[in-house]
Amino acid sequence: MSNATIDRQWTTRLRRRVEGALPPEKLLPDTQPSYVASWIYVFGVATLVALALVTLSGLVLALKGPTWWHVSNVGHFVNSTHLWSVELFFFSMVIHLWGKFFMAAWRGNRSLTWITGGVTFMASIGTAFTGYVSQTNFDSQWIATQAKDGINSTGIGAYFNVLDLGQMLMWHITLLPLAAIALTGLHVILVRKRGVVPPFADEVAA
Amino acid sequence: MSKKSFNPDVDVVEWTGTHRPYDIIKEGTIALVVMSLLVVLLSALFSSPDDRPATLRQWSHSDPVDFANTAFSELNGSSGTAGYGQPYNNTPNATQTIGPLALQRWMGVHIPVHPAADFVLATLATLPDSPIISAALQQWKSSSNTAQFTWMENFAKVTPTFSAGALHFPPVDAGPIPVLMSGLTSMARAGSLDQSLLGGGSNYYSTDYTRPLLFLADGNWFSGLAEKQHLAGDQWGMMNETGSYPGQAWLWLYTFWYQVPPFSASENADSLIWGLMMVLTVIMIFVPFIPGVRSIPRRTKVYRLIWRNHYRK
């Protein structure tokens, strides 16, 4: 088989494109520009770690079903870890977002990195909301009956019924986490591909 | 072709300075350990809220008069659900709009709920071996609209009381309505109404709580429970949860609009606030392309605090 034949293969082309855009030294860097030295950078990785903990605790809850945590002390503790990892996830994410805003982190062809971050934030809000209405307790009843008016007013409520536990639970444990995790993965890949945005060059005139 | 001019809000001067060692795996591992410990510590210290769900049975025991009044509002069409409009029913001029946009109405009825039939009449018809209820239902069904209207008008003027495990009504010409209300209250007190209102097309399995939750939300008892927990709409309830927990603090801006004019007094508050939040969300996502907004970081110079070591050098 000729090299030309191999070069034309879709697989070869895709591999070379991925290798070109994201070589190992970019994917797992062992150095960073010296300006990457601030506590604000901690909140990006803290968000990722919190997402991992949210997913892990959610998987344990999923193993036993949506009402297990009401009747088991272990289940209640796992639910608590799910709640607090969600709180830490959003705390870290919001600080990360504001930090990146004030760094104007979209500069230098990084717009898509910013956009995927913003969309991930929205997907995360949706994931958390569907979790709150799937708790099968008073909170979920109250939040659902309050939220229905807002969602119905947009017309979306015709298809996204917050009073339907089954529908909300499926969104919460499959569709929205998949979206949030996939978007996070894309966001991280873009960060690695483009690198961390450099500081403003004050000497350059606007 | 002229070279594109440098825009400091869009472009960067690529870094040609020094680099420092950076162990991404070590950083991730430390973050994982610290965050895991923090989650376990917070969980052990503060646990998580879990107030038991409210039920129609509880309601009819705690406040049977409110239950009966709500049941009657479902029958005579004056309840919140009966007058809700889309997606539950076709009540005219009931839905919210954003100017000329009537998105709620345009989407139509996709979750049909007819409170008189679904919450009262059809539910009572499922009761076995109850000749008094069956006779009352038969009387209701065989009567004219005018007679039903007159009975409802008369019944609306009386106030029921509850004692010795039963509702009591002053003498009133309300046809079968007192029997129907007593029957539904008894059904709720026995606990069978919660299950019978579930939807989903199956006689056995269901995860759709639309009907019982709508019925529950139509009464005063349920909202009273929420107000005691500081969960009402004017108490920032959308983002709070029971107990002293942070709740959905990330919804603070969405909840904030409900507290201030003109939204706090608008009949279209939900649709207007959702519209506003959608606009703000689009602005947030597309900041890199919005002149003026994308200049805020450079003009406020907060970045000098973030990169203070860099600028000090």
Side-chain angles (χ1 to χ4, degrees), chain A residues 141, chain B residues 52-60 188 194 216 221-222 225:
Chain A
Q141 287 180 309
Chain B
R52 295 180 67 80
T55 63
L56 301 174
R57 181 177 187 278
Q58 253 183 312
W59 179 16
S60 58
D194 288 289
L216 204 55
W221 176 75
F222 185 55
L225 293 180

Side-chain angles (χ1 to χ4, degrees), chain B residues 26-304:
Chain B
K26 185 178 176 184
E27 183 186 274
T29 305
I30 292 171
L32 181 63
V33 170
V34 170
M35 292 291 272
S36 299
L37 289 174
L38 204 51
V39 165
V40 169
L41 185 68
L42 288 166
S43 303
L45 285 177
F46 303 114
S47 188
S48 51
D50 188 22
D51 286 25
R52 295 180 67 80
T55 63
L56 301 174
R57 181 177 187 278
Q58 253 183 312
W59 179 16
S60 58
H61 277 269
S62 300
D63 195 345
V65 172
D66 181 55
F67 177 87
N69 287 338
T70 306
F72 177 62
S73 74
E74 307 293 4
L75 183 69
N76 77 354
S78 65
S79 71
T81 302
Y84 196 92
Q86 292 76 8
Y88 307 130
N89 44 57
N90 277 317
T91 305
N93 304 318
T95 54
Q96 300 187 31
T97 57
I98 308 175
L101 300 176
L103 300 173
Q104 186 174 356
R105 180 162 54 83
W106 293 344
M107 294 305 278
V109 176
H110 278 263
I111 309 163
V113 179
H114 305 292
D118 295 344
F119 295 166
V120 183
L121 301 172
T123 307
L124 282 169
T126 63
L127 281 176
D129 308 322
S130 181
I132 297 174
I133 298 291
S134 298
L137 284 172
Q138 188 55 42
Q139 184 185 3
W140 181 264
K141 274 192 271 185
S142 59
S143 61
S144 66
N145 288 342
T146 310
Q148 290 179 355
F149 183 78
T150 304
W151 290 336
M152 288 192 288
E153 284 277 290
N154 293 339
F155 190 80
K157 293 171 188 163
V158 303
T159 305
T161 56
F162 186 86
S163 61
L167 284 171
H168 304 281
F169 306 95
V172 59
D173 177 20
I177 295 177
V179 174
L180 296 177
M181 294 302 103
S182 294
L184 198 71
T185 306
S186 297
M187 195 175 172
R189 287 170 66 81
S192 55
L193 189 58
D194 288 289
Q195 190 66 27
S196 69
L197 288 183
L198 293 179
S202 165
N203 291 326
Y204 188 77
Y205 288 109
S206 179
T207 56
D208 182 1
Y209 289 81
T210 303
R211 287 175 180 78
L213 281 175
L214 286 174
F215 193 176
L216 204 55
D218 280 337
N220 294 321
W221 176 75
F222 185 55
S223 56
L225 293 180
E227 273 178 39
K228 283 181 195 160
Q229 296 270 10
H230 306 287
L231 298 176
D234 57 0
Q235 296 171 309
W236 296 71
M238 195 55 231
M239 58 181 272
N240 290 336
E241 57 186 329
T242 50
S244 301
Y245 290 88
Q248 301 180 84
W250 46 92
L251 294 181
W252 73 269
L253 185 59
Y254 172 72
T255 314
F256 166 76
W257 299 120
Y258 282 95
Q259 321 300 318
V260 296
F263 307 107
S264 57
S266 172
E267 290 184 353
N268 291 312
D270 292 307
S271 56
L272 291 174
I273 290 170
W274 265 80
L276 176 63
M277 289 304 292
M278 288 299 106
V279 170
L280 293 175
T281 300
V282 169
I283 290 174
M284 184 269 285
I285 289 172
F286 292 103
V287 159
F289 308 105
I290 305 173
V293 179
R294 69 186 179 192
S295 302
I296 292 173
R298 181 169 53 84
R299 294 189 188 283
T300 55
K301 294 190 183 296
V302 175
Y303 66 84
R304 283 193 155 271

